[in-house]
Amino acid sequence: MSHCLTFALAVLAATISSACAQGAVYSQCGGQGWSGATTCVSGAVCTVVNDYYSQCLPGTATSTVGTTTTSATGSSPTGSAGSLKFTGVNIAGFDFGCGTDGTCNTTQAWPPLAQYGGNDGQSQMQHFVQNDGFNMFRLPVGWQWLVNNQLGGALNSANLAEYDSLVQACLGTGAYCIIDIHNYARWNGAIIGQGGPTNAQFASVWSALASKYASQSKILFGVMNEPHDVPSITTWATSVQAAVTAIRQAGATSQMILLPGNDWTSAGSFVSDGSAAALSTVKNPDGSTTNLIFDVHKYLDSDNSGTHAECTTNNIDSAWTPLVQWLRTNKRQALNTETGGGNTASCVQFMCQQIAFQAQNSDVILGYVGWSAGNFNSTYVLSEVPNGSSDTSLVSSCLSPKAGAQSGST
């Protein structure tokens, strides 16, 4: 009797241990060097993301590590699994010299093009499209550069010609290209529409840019990079409306316009800080919200700053799940135009998780654009600059569409 009891208890303990070791939804369940749980809780399937990472994704099929499931379905909120529409890279340089207070020293702007003494951004973009399958680039530029420090003035022809060279190099790859004014809702320390530039001055620069690119279907207009500490989000929405109206009236009637919120347009606070509600009032001249897309950012380091090599979160519970719920309920969409991490194992793990979740909800999350390449070099903590034909580890493991992170396949 005691022998049988001992055996039964041992079997029970093993069963309990096995159950306790199951991974939660969206947790890691496999990959090279992984020693944790390799099965998932009920309702989730262990799904291969790449050689280094497998993840418990919502689903009902039985799967083992190394086997890709084809039956994963969305969890709460109900997802629409599929490939993300946009995947890309920021090509920085024209924003160099711009501070978070909206000052931009135009002498420090550095065109990321070989003909202007910068890194070869054109070849970088060609590599990212041809080798990795990226289809979008964000091209940051200082407001002061565009108008040669003349607030409310016309676009400066010489400076615009250099910036347009980057835009044309981007379009030449066949990719979508985001024109991004990188001024943090400010001009030299003063907030647009709230003590600083007037809405009319803000609208004027967008009217001029939209006139130039109105015929380019693959141009997106990024209204403003990372507004922060804006006193009134409703007043900011009025400023955004002025830009949207100017863009549409200039003839760019069908392109996407990206609407940024307060608090660095963080995906984690976009709903809670009122940005989502306020920007929902922004409309096209015809009263619709067609192609008005919310612009959100999210880094994965300890303070969400994008300044550390190590990542500490996949942002799923704190940011993406509540945002996805809101977007789906309100029939809106968002694009993550800045995300990134160091070329480290922790960032590979958490970034692959973030991308897999976004792909599970690709009906409302259109994609992501990593920060950053262009004029950054290999020593930059979040560098995505390729070394010849070789990508950084984060690009090759997660960010590259060919890495399989968004589709859950290798």
Side-chain angles (χ1 to χ4, degrees):
M1 288 292 295
S2 62
H3 174 74
C4 291
L5 179 61
T6 300
F7 177 77
L9 289 174
V11 172
L12 178 61
T15 301
I16 293 173
S17 174
S18 175
C20 292
Q22 289 184 319
V25 178
Y26 302 117
S27 66
Q28 186 174 359
C29 57
Q32 292 182 13
W34 175 248
S35 59
T38 56
T39 59
C40 305
V41 296
S42 177
V45 179
C46 190
T47 305
V48 172
V49 174
N50 56 40
D51 291 343
Y52 303 94
Y53 186 77
S54 296
Q55 181 181 28
C56 291
L57 293 178
T60 56
T62 301
S63 179
T64 58
V65 175
T67 301
T68 300
T69 179
T70 59
S71 62
T73 58
S75 64
S76 180
T78 302
S80 176
S83 295
L84 294 166
K85 182 173 183 177
F86 300 119
T87 56
V89 181
N90 280 266
I91 304 296
F94 278 104
D95 56 315
F96 286 11
C98 291
T100 58
D101 62 352
T103 58
C104 290
N105 183 344
T106 55
T107 66
Q108 294 180 16
W110 189 12
L113 294 164
Q115 66 262 41
Y116 298 121
N119 290 344
D120 189 0
Q122 181 171 8
S123 292
Q124 289 179 21
M125 290 187 285
Q126 291 170 346
H127 164 88
F128 285 130
V129 170
Q130 296 167 8
N131 292 41
D132 294 302
F134 286 111
N135 66 354
M136 174 171 279
F137 298 102
R138 184 168 177 253
L139 313 175
V141 62
W143 187 355
Q144 287 88 334
W145 173 267
L146 292 171
V147 297
N148 199 27
N149 295 302
Q150 299 300 310
L151 178 61
L155 298 177
N156 179 268
S157 58
N159 289 357
L160 179 63
E162 293 189 21
Y163 182 67
D164 183 58
S165 294
L166 184 64
V167 174
Q168 297 305 322
C170 175
L171 291 171
T173 68
Y176 289 82
C177 311
I178 303 172
I179 296 175
D180 160 54
I181 295 184
H182 214 76
N183 276 69
Y184 305 90
R186 290 158 168 80
W187 174 285
N188 294 345
I191 298 172
I192 300 165
Q194 301 184 50
T198 65
N199 289 346
Q201 288 170 326
F202 184 42
S204 70
V205 69
W206 274 118
S207 178
L209 287 168
S211 295
K212 181 171 180 61
Y213 296 110
S215 64
Q216 298 290 344
S217 62
K218 288 193 171 183
I219 290 288
L220 290 80
F221 301 104
V223 166
M224 179 56 61
N225 176 68
E226 294 189 347
H228 65 90
D229 300 293
V230 174
S232 170
I233 186 60
T234 55
T235 303
W236 171 244
T238 303
S239 299
V240 173
Q241 179 67 71
V244 168
T245 300
I247 290 168
R248 295 302 190 214
Q249 290 181 343
T253 58
S254 61
Q255 294 94 330
M256 290 185 180
I257 304 176
L258 307 180
L259 314 181
N262 206 355
D263 296 319
W264 314 90
T265 203
S266 171
S269 58
F270 202 81
V271 175
S272 61
D273 70 6
S275 294
L279 292 172
S280 292
T281 67
V282 176
K283 301 289 197 301
N284 292 309
D286 64 3
S288 73
T289 58
T290 304
N291 285 329
L292 300 184
I293 308 299
F294 295 131
D295 189 357
V296 296
H297 293 177
K298 204 73 179 83
Y299 288 98
L300 295 85
D301 51 358
S302 58
D303 60 0
N304 191 44
S305 65
T307 60
H308 303 92
E310 297 296 335
C311 295
T312 62
T313 177
N314 57 26
N315 296 309
I316 291 170
D317 291 338
S318 62
W320 295 114
T321 294
L323 180 60
V324 161
Q325 290 173 327
W326 190 95
L327 292 169
R328 191 168 291 122
T329 298
N330 291 276
K331 297 180 172 57
R332 298 300 295 266
Q333 295 175 314
L335 177 62
N336 182 16
T337 61
E338 270 193 39
T339 191
N343 293 291
T344 59
S346 65
C347 289
V348 168
Q349 173 186 344
F350 289 122
M351 181 63 78
C352 282
Q353 291 176 351
Q354 176 174 280
I355 291 172
F357 180 84
Q358 291 174 335
Q360 285 287 311
N361 296 279
S362 59
D363 58 320
V364 292
I365 303 296
L366 296 182
Y368 57 85
V369 188
W371 187 269
S372 181
N375 267 341
F376 286 110
N377 58 41
S378 60
T379 64
Y380 172 56
V381 65
L382 305 189
S383 176
E384 295 180 23
V385 177
N387 179 14
S389 61
S390 299
D391 283 310
T392 65
S393 62
L394 190 64
V395 170
S396 62
S397 299
C398 290
L399 292 169
S400 167
K402 292 186 178 180
Q406 66 163 303
S407 63
S409 63
T410 54

